[in-house]
Amino acid sequence: MESMETLIVYGTRYGASAGTAEEIAAVLRGEGFDVKVVNAKEEKIKDINPYELIVVGSGLQMGKWTGEAEDFLKRFQNDFAQKKMALFASTMKTVSEREGKTDDVEVTRKFALTDKVTKYSLQAIALGFFGGVIDYNKMNFLFRKTLGSIRQQLEKDGFKETSPDVYDIRDMEEIRSWAKD
Ligand SMILES: Cc1cc2nc3c(=O)[nH]c(=O)nc-3n(C[C@H](O)[C@H](O)[C@H](O)COP(=O)(O)O)c2cc1C
């Protein structure tokens, strides 16, 4: 089997996109791909020539990707045309889904994924639209206060605290099946 050289670059504030990137990597490695996973904040990729497949993802905060992940898209936007590329995003969409708020889901998809495709003229082969984590320990005071009110909502929607003050709202099966596709 040919091993497809793959680069996964992610931006994260609360850790979800790091875990999701590793999960995607594990699936691709299982298919024989050669995968490098990079945190955009820790390593600035200078050259994407060695890679055939590039997956770029970020968590969403107030509708925004992290600066470093966005910067990676921007810097290489013209080089992706020669590659297979895919995007993913970690969001609150799983909450909106459970609440049946389909309009919210679509607004989030736009900010998280389709706006990037348009802005950087990407020919993405796939757009991974995932949940994330709500981690009250990592939020600053203001955000903790602002998002405090959704804790009841998360409980009501059936999300359980995965560790103290942390709600992992990802669907790992959805992530694995996307990667496999
Ligand atoms: C202050 C704050 C703002 C957020 N804003 C959004 C948002 O605008 N849209 C959304 O879908 N999720 C939002 N989220 C939820 C994040 O998508 C979720 O925390 C995700 O895990 C972020 O990815 P990361 O863990 O890789 O940083 C927000 C979370 C926080 C703490």
Side-chain angles (χ1 to χ4, degrees):
M1 192 181 1
E2 193 208 345
S3 79
M4 174 138 34
E5 295 295 327
T6 303
L7 175 67
I8 304 181
V9 176
Y10 67 87
T12 192
R13 303 177 182 92
Y14 301 98
S17 301
T20 296
E22 290 298 346
E23 197 68 30
I24 295 167
V27 171
L28 297 181
R29 284 177 187 132
E31 297 291 320
F33 290 34
D34 197 353
V35 187
K36 180 181 165 81
V37 181
V38 170
N39 179 338
K41 198 167 186 169
E42 288 168 1
E43 185 181 337
K44 194 163 178 180
I45 297 288
K46 295 188 185 71
D47 180 13
I48 60 167
N49 268 324
Y51 306 100
E52 195 178 334
L53 169 65
I54 296 158
V55 182
V56 193
S58 177
L60 208 62
Q61 179 170 275
M62 320 286 284
K64 289 200 160 76
W65 276 39
T66 74
E68 295 84 5
E70 176 97 28
D71 179 62
F72 177 79
L73 279 187
K74 190 173 174 180
R75 279 191 292 128
F76 292 104
Q77 55 183 312
N78 298 321
D79 305 309
F80 293 135
Q82 273 68 253
K83 312 282 178 187
K84 292 186 180 65
M85 81 94 60
L87 299 179
F88 78 87
S90 308
T91 73
M92 296 249 279
K93 73 121 190 190
T94 44
V95 177
S96 305
E97 278 174 355
R98 285 199 191 180
E99 301 199 337
K101 294 181 177 160
T102 46
D103 289 358
D104 289 0
V105 172
E106 289 319 311
V107 170
T108 302
R109 188 199 303 276
K110 179 179 183 303
F111 279 117
L113 295 164
T114 43
D115 278 0
K116 305 301 171 202
V117 169
T118 310
K119 188 171 178 188
Y120 300 114
S121 306
L122 305 173
Q123 307 269 332
I125 57 168
L127 301 176
F129 186 34
F130 307 131
V133 299
I134 304 298
D135 186 344
Y136 289 99
N137 305 296
K138 291 186 187 158
M139 286 176 211
N140 68 29
F141 170 76
L142 190 67
F143 286 160
R144 200 177 308 129
K145 223 175 138 184
T146 313
L147 268 81
S149 60
I150 72 153
R151 190 190 280 258
Q152 278 113 28
Q153 208 177 322
L154 294 172
E155 295 279 348
K156 185 170 67 63
D157 293 336
F159 291 106
K160 300 268 177 295
E161 239 178 341
T162 36
S163 54
D165 297 326
V166 180
Y167 292 81
D168 190 332
I169 59 167
R170 286 175 295 182
D171 176 346
M172 297 314 287
E173 200 38 60
E174 179 182 38
I175 291 164
R176 282 190 286 270
S177 116
W178 178 81
K180 194 118 185 159
D181 270 7

